[in-house]
Amino acid sequence: MKANILLVEDDMNLGFVVADQLRSNEYNVTLATDGAEGFKRFNDGNYHLCIFDVMMPKKDGFSLAQDIRKIDKDIPILFLTAKSDTQDKVKGFESGGDDYLTKPFSTEELMVRVKALLKRVNIVQEEENASTYKIGQYTFDSENYELKSTDFQKKLTKKEAEILSMLCKYKNQVLPRELVLNGVWGQDDYFVGRSLDVFITKLRKYLSGDDRVAITNVHGIGFKFICPEE
């Protein structure tokens, strides 16, 4: 089974070379060229490994890793960077990185590190479970945008499904509002904020059949998706 890799690299030439090398080794690769796009791509897909450049526009690699760690504590993250100082490496690991490869690097070394990190990931289990969530009496199929229970079925819009996916990843935790805005819309401003509130209201209505499930506002921070643990 092919692993899905998110590569975020603002140097287009290097990005294409690394992506091509990964694909030639039978990996599925999604390439983003800045940190903000990388974060949105992460929320749009299911990945087994992330490879991030550090110095990037809009959102640097360390900040991107920190945001992703708030959603997924386990996915392996490999940093690619020209910085070789011990202090920078320490910052990378503290940001949630699992490995650190200094530029310039050989593609052979990159492949060895990628394989080593992927050994920690149970790909078959993740593929089976990553797109389906149990929400009280509901089942949410995030790939097909379907929310259903024994007496309810709703085809969600893409935005509704993306927001509900993020809430599911943060189940019974506080989900910062700006993570949803940046992850779904790629920006955080007043107008998309109002759109988010409309979508949250719709999702509350869809889930209203189970009084154990709730999307609550956490003042000044974001939302908390409350639902029973399975």
Side-chain angles (χ1 to χ4, degrees):
M1 182 176 292
K2 291 185 178 182
N4 299 322
I5 298 177
L6 174 62
L7 171 63
V8 188
E9 169 61 66
D10 70 326
D11 182 328
M12 294 295 292
N13 291 330
L14 179 59
F16 283 127
V17 169
V18 172
D20 185 64
Q21 184 66 28
L22 290 166
R23 290 177 182 129
S24 70
N25 280 266
E26 302 302 317
Y27 298 119
N28 295 319
V29 182
T30 298
L31 175 61
T33 56
D34 63 63
E37 181 192 359
F39 186 63
K40 188 175 188 311
R41 292 276 190 168
F42 180 82
N43 286 293
D44 286 343
N46 296 310
Y47 299 99
H48 305 104
L49 172 68
C50 295
I51 303 175
F52 298 154
D53 183 25
V54 173
M55 301 300 293
M56 295 187 294
K58 298 185 181 180
K59 186 188 293 286
D60 66 77
F62 294 154
S63 298
L64 177 57
Q66 289 172 337
D67 285 347
I68 283 175
R69 279 287 174 252
K70 295 173 184 176
I71 300 172
D72 190 326
K73 297 178 181 178
D74 300 317
I75 188 168
I77 297 176
L78 169 63
F79 287 119
L80 304 178
T81 180
K83 293 187 174 183
S84 58
D85 294 343
T86 299
Q87 185 176 359
D88 290 318
K89 291 183 178 180
V90 170
K91 185 176 180 180
F93 289 120
E94 289 179 343
S95 299
D98 297 281
D99 202 357
Y100 203 104
L101 189 55
T102 304
K103 300 175 183 178
F105 53 84
S106 68
T107 53
E108 290 82 0
E109 182 179 6
L110 174 62
M111 291 305 111
V112 169
R113 290 175 184 263
V114 165
K115 289 177 182 178
L117 288 170
L118 285 172
K119 284 182 179 179
R120 297 169 33 191
V121 182
N122 187 337
I123 296 176
V124 174
Q125 173 117 16
E126 186 169 341
E127 284 294 324
E128 291 175 349
N129 296 331
S131 65
T132 303
Y133 300 94
K134 187 68 177 172
I135 306 171
Q137 70 183 34
Y138 301 93
T139 300
F140 171 44
D141 181 346
S142 63
E143 285 191 354
N144 294 306
Y145 307 163
E146 291 180 348
L147 179 67
K148 59 185 177 180
S149 65
T150 53
D151 57 356
F152 173 87
Q153 185 165 350
K154 178 69 178 178
K155 184 75 170 182
L156 304 182
T157 66
K158 185 173 186 292
K159 285 281 193 298
E160 288 171 344
E162 288 175 344
I163 295 167
L164 187 54
S165 292
M166 293 194 73
L167 289 166
C168 287
K169 292 173 183 177
Y170 262 83
K171 185 173 68 172
N172 295 318
Q173 303 177 60
V174 177
L175 171 60
R177 186 180 180 88
E178 64 269 17
L179 284 189
V180 184
L181 294 171
N182 286 316
V184 175
W185 280 272
Q187 58 182 319
D188 177 0
D189 63 31
Y190 175 82
F191 298 104
V192 295
R194 299 286 70 79
S195 295
L196 171 59
D197 292 334
V198 171
F199 282 111
I200 291 292
T201 298
K202 289 181 178 179
L203 290 173
R204 284 179 177 138
K205 181 179 178 181
Y206 303 154
L207 297 167
S208 62
D210 190 336
D211 58 13
R212 300 171 299 167
V213 177
I215 305 172
T216 62
N217 290 323
V218 180
H219 182 68
I221 302 176
F223 309 98
K224 187 172 184 180
F225 188 37
I226 300 170
C227 59
E229 297 286 355
E230 298 300 323

